[in-house]
Amino acid sequence: MSKVLTYLTIVVLVTLLVLIRVFEQQLFYDPFLAFFQNDYLYMDSPRREVFKLTAFTSLRFLINTVLSLGILFAIFKDVSIIKFSALIYGVAYVVLMLLFLYFVINPKQDDYYLFFNIRRFLIQPLILLLLIPAFFYHKNNL
């Protein structure tokens, strides 16, 4: 892949991630979007449909994961990095979704901040931001 095509691919994939964020209210069911924009530490948890919320959060995680794996492949062009990253995403999904469901089913004001951060890892491509420098470091120290 030429450098121009590589950069173009990365720009397109990052743009898609940004568009997901920009249009999140139109694309996904998430009553916590408005909740966490306000002074949520002193509010009651919003009404929610647990199955629908879980399904849309999972869909968003899946879309972000596929785009993130595409970005990683465009940057590193190494299938072993993609396989390892997919494993990390899979384990992260299981662990984060279990914690997410616990906080959705058992909302307590004391746990809102922790829930906010767990939810953030599920709906935003933060894992990608951790993996890129880790793989650059690994690649440069071999």
Side-chain angles (χ1 to χ4, degrees), residues 129-141:
L129 297 178
L130 297 172
L131 290 178
I132 290 173
F135 289 134
F136 268 122
Y137 179 80
H138 175 73
K139 211 165 182 108
N140 290 332
N141 286 323

Side-chain angles (χ1 to χ4, degrees), residues 65-111:
T65 298
V66 169
L67 295 174
S68 296
L69 291 175
I71 291 169
L72 288 170
F73 185 75
I75 293 172
F76 297 106
K77 297 171 188 60
D78 186 348
V79 175
S80 64
I81 285 178
I82 303 308
K83 288 179 183 177
F84 183 70
S85 298
L87 177 67
I88 289 173
Y89 275 102
V91 170
Y93 174 77
V94 170
V95 171
L96 291 170
M97 189 52 73
L98 288 172
L99 291 169
F100 177 81
L101 285 172
Y102 171 78
F103 289 122
V104 166
I105 294 169
N106 303 308
K108 296 179 185 136
Q109 284 185 337
D110 294 342
D111 298 332

Side-chain angles (χ1 to χ4, degrees), residues 119-135:
R119 184 180 152 277
R120 178 179 278 177
F121 271 92
L122 283 168
I123 67 169
Q124 296 175 3
L126 296 179
I127 297 173
L128 176 66
L129 297 178
L130 297 172
L131 290 178
I132 290 173
F135 289 134

Side-chain angles (χ1 to χ4, degrees), residues 17 20 28 54-70 89-90 93 97 121-124:
L17 286 173
I20 289 170
F28 305 104
T54 303
F56 276 96
T57 302
S58 296
L59 175 64
R60 187 165 176 184
F61 184 85
L62 178 66
I63 294 169
N64 285 340
T65 298
V66 169
L67 295 174
S68 296
L69 291 175
Y89 275 102
Y93 174 77
M97 189 52 73
F121 271 92
L122 283 168
I123 67 169
Q124 296 175 3

